[in-house]
Amino acid sequence: MESKELQKSLGMSAALSTVVGMVIGAGVFFKPQAVYQTTGGEPGLGMIAWVVAGIITITAGLTAAEVSAAIPKTGGMMVYIEEIYGKKLGFLTGWMQTVLFFPATIAALGVIFAQQAVSLIGNESLTLPIAVGIILFVAALNTLGSKAGGAIQTIATICKLIPLALIMVFGFIKGSGTNPVMTPLVGDGISPAGVIGQLLIAVLFAYDGWINVGALAGEMKNPGKDLPRAIVGGLAVVMGVYVVINLAYLWVLPASELANYSAPAAAVAEAMFGPMGGKLITIGILISVFGTLNGYLLTGPRVMYTLAEQKTLPGYKTLTKLNKSQAPANSIIAMATLSAIYALSGQFNLLTDLSIFAIWIFYVLTFIGVIKLRKDQPDLFRPYRVPLYPFIPAIAILSGLFVVINQLCFAGLQTTMISLGGIIITLIGLPIYNYMQNKTN
């Protein structure tokens, strides 16, 4: 199957809808709490962060798309980095995704799903069992094959648009509109410059998923023209939705109240529609989170499977086995187990911060790779070139470096320790790679 040439059948509309569908997930429903806690319960800098993160994401998508179009191979960022920097760094990318990014994100989604479920059930002692249980349940569904996982994804994508649309429309109709939106920027005693990095880390989780857009390049009819349009158009739509829905939140409840709710969207819905309406919206949000969780358990184990196929992971013989449905069941189970262990922390924001920090290190390497690839392989066929080169890549690189350095050095001791932990876990991949190379060669 992998050796067959990809069909160039995707047009502009398919690419645009894919961008929107892959990026809009759980973050927009839950991240306002972290945002307004960071700003001290004031709205201004939080709203600015949603716009700035959107612009960063668009420059990132436009930059990475050049690599995607020039290297239209299955495997995504791991393949790009291997092509540009060599096999060892390519492996580290896949290793980081396998042991950090995907498990931490899956765990965070399991935790937030459980927190919403217990808000309906009314028994907080069930939070961790539900978090672990939903991860293992979705993993079991994905062992039935990619067709089943894809069907779940389609249904969940449609369902997640319902609570978004209802909140955006009725927020402005039923909300008082008397709460401040842009002022003050932050609360007393808080420096805007000191917290902007933490805000961006929080908000960028809601925008994550854009890197997968570039993987469509090999299946597009006209990637040179349609890929940048899909990225700019799709991410502009996402940014518009995020800004509007956050305005709707503030139209109903002030930032100081949103900072107190782990599920601000559900709190806004309850304020608008009453307890029963709030519960219905919560169910819609649960379906959305379920779909996002399914998406990560559909794609993440494929990275683990690819590394195992390359014989670079311990236990590769087990991890490369396919079941009767031709699904990499052992890789799915292994990733779900690791994710369930992460979920025992019960910390949604901690887990998402860890995953975003880890992935953005490699995003920056991808952006730098655009410049390196132009120097090393000037004659490489590029169906798409990043516009306004080198300014767009420079913005993407500098923004990414700011996010990573701020998270590592200036965001407080706990955040620094989490970031260092992420780096250490990533670097553990180096002796594993060397060991496996010696063992299998």
Side-chain angles (χ1 to χ4, degrees), residues 14-24 209-210 213 216 230-231 233-235 238:
L16 186 69
S17 61
T18 303
V19 174
V20 176
M22 284 196 298
V23 174
I24 295 178
W210 59 267
V213 177
L216 297 172
I231 290 169
L235 290 175
V238 171

Side-chain angles (χ1 to χ4, degrees), residues 258-308:
L258 292 171
N260 296 324
Y261 293 106
S262 62
V268 167
E270 185 167 336
M272 289 190 297
F273 306 120
M276 185 53 67
K279 286 180 179 179
L280 288 173
I281 294 292
T282 299
I283 291 169
I285 294 170
L286 279 170
I287 295 170
S288 174
V289 176
F290 184 89
T292 308
L293 182 60
N294 179 73
Y296 277 93
L297 273 165
L298 183 67
T299 54
R302 268 72 182 177
V303 176
M304 181 183 285
Y305 175 79
T306 301
L307 290 180

Side-chain angles (χ1 to χ4, degrees), residues 337-366:
T337 303
L338 184 56
S339 303
I341 293 169
Y342 278 40
L344 293 175
S345 69
Q347 299 293 314
F348 173 70
N349 288 317
L350 183 149
L351 289 164
T352 56
D353 287 355
L354 176 63
S355 69
I356 290 300
F357 172 79
I359 201 74
W360 267 86
I361 294 172
F362 290 87
Y363 286 166
V364 171
L365 286 174
T366 305

Side-chain angles (χ1 to χ4, degrees), residues 91-92 95-96 99-100 312-314 420-436:
F91 167 79
L92 268 190
W95 169 260
M96 176 277 303
V99 300
L100 266 184
T312 52
L313 281 184
L420 285 173
I423 291 172
I424 291 167
I425 292 170
T426 301
L427 292 178
I428 287 171
L430 285 174
I432 289 175
Y433 177 82
N434 292 331
Y435 170 76
M436 293 305 296

